[in-house]
Amino acid sequence: LAAQLSLSLAECPGTGSAQAGRAAACQGCPNQGLCAAGAAGPDPAEAAELRARLRAVRHTVLVLSGKGGVGKSTFSALLAHGLAADETKQVALLDIDICGPSIPKMMGLEGEQVHQSGSGWSPVYVEENLGVMSVGFLLGSPDDAVIWRGPKKNGLIKQFLRDVDWGEVDYLIVDTPPGTSDEHLSIVQYLSATHIDGAVIVTTPQEVSLQDVRKEINFCRKVKLPIIGVVENMSGFVCPKCKNESQIFPPTTGGAEKMCQNLNVSLLGKVPLDPQIGKSSDSGQSFLAEAPESQATLSYRNIIQRIQEYCEHHHFQEEKIM
Amino acid sequence: TLAERTNLAGVQHILLVLSGKGGVGKSTISTELALALRSAGKKVGILDVDLCGPSIPRMLRVQDSAVHQCDSGWVPVFVGQDKAIALMSIGFLLERPDDAVVWRGPKKNALIKQFVTDVAWGDLDFLIVDTPPGTSDEHISTVEALRPYQLLGAVLVTTPQ
């Protein structure tokens, strides 16, 4: 039993990997037989298809956390709005949170449907230069639960990348669900067909969040995903009446700042709590446009600029030899 | 099997704490519920099936504990002031607390099944099951594994937005 315990903690190599069913970690996994009998690795034809589809995407940023409810979707939506403020840039926002897709509501696109054309699925456009895709657009009703196991979720994520006609895109922002599981492994695997500039990791100041975020940072390192930096969300609250600042989620262990120092990652910035953010999200409006004077807006704009600078600086050569 | 019949046979009620949405307070509520039931004199256990982000051990200050085995399976960690709340979480199985559990569905399902059948809970009035956000592998597997037993029901947690 002790041997089973330590082996059971080793990593799953991935059902699509060359090691599927054959790695030491596979012993005792109920899927072992299936994996061992399956394909020897990712389908090269599939990889070529994805590469072709994503060829015109210049920069890709993943928004991750590990912890739920820290503001990944809020951040993804505002990052997309912020980048799309430059009308010369084409921005795409892909929501791969299959069970809890928040992006349609936050972008004011609830009830929209996905249309198909000869060139694939058409993203839903908020602005001419800001297109969105989410499983939320594929549901009959917004309350329909998507109760899918990993493999089915992976299939839809692959379809989002392969079948959506994104066109020429300057920035592809990918919003993810909390955790380090199928969706995260799959998106990194499928996007290896193109180039991921890096991940932005969102957290709140409390240790209960940071402990999950450290795991996410380790996940990024394991899969060799560069970390653009960490955003500390819900970082302090300034009362609009008395202007007193309170720490709603006290950084009992030093907050994101200490964690970033310890793990040698960049702290991109801190965003304070502003009740208007939740209101704007619920009504599908851009908080940056509705509250341009808010301290939170200022923080967001600084963070977005830093992300842009990172992407432009680490510019990916389009002529990558496969 | 005999072990399956034995390990949950002494549990009177099983309560799932669910949400769908992350970060609304499922783990916090699970912990407070367990502590409140304990204060009311009940025998309580917590099963933390959030494999990617296990929060319960830290909330009960036992993040450095380890699990041991006995004849009928794994012994839960006993927490709380009187060490009377039984807890099982993947948090106890990690070599380092920052280790990411990067597993796909099938492996998560296997561990959840083990957590349900192989933990020697003993006699409990309530077993509270804390879940991760979503409606996916963990949730399907947990409900399937618990279906033969006395599933009391689910408490759903949300925030106002």
Side-chain angles (χ1 to χ4, degrees), chain A residues 1 5 8 10 25 30 68-69 146-150 153-154 180-182 185-186 189 207 211-212 214-215 218 222, chain B residues 22-23 52-54 58 69 74 93 97-98 100-105 107-110 133 135-137 140-141 144 161:
Chain A
L1 204 58
L5 268 176
S8 80
V146 178
I147 312 172
W148 291 359
R149 289 193 184 275
K153 293 195 283 188
N154 299 336
T180 49
S181 189
D182 287 273
L185 285 167
S186 295
Q189 188 190 320
E207 176 56 27
Q211 72 177 8
D212 288 351
R214 288 189 201 97
K215 291 180 168 51
N218 280 326
K222 253 186 208 164
Chain B
C52 296
R58 170 164 282 274
Q69 286 119 51
W74 299 351
L93 305 177
D98 300 344
V101 173
V102 185
W103 293 358
R104 290 190 184 271
K107 199 152 180 183
K108 291 198 284 188
N109 300 336
T135 47
S136 188
D137 289 277
I140 300 170
S141 298
E144 272 176 9
Q161 51 179 150

Side-chain angles (χ1 to χ4, degrees), chain A residues 132 206 238 292:
Chain A
V132 181
Q206 52 179 155
V238 178

Side-chain angles (χ1 to χ4, degrees), chain A residues 45 61 135 190 244-245 260 287 291 300:
Chain A
V61 176
V135 75
Y190 298 141
N244 194 35
E245 180 166 354
C260 288
F287 166 75
Y300 261 106

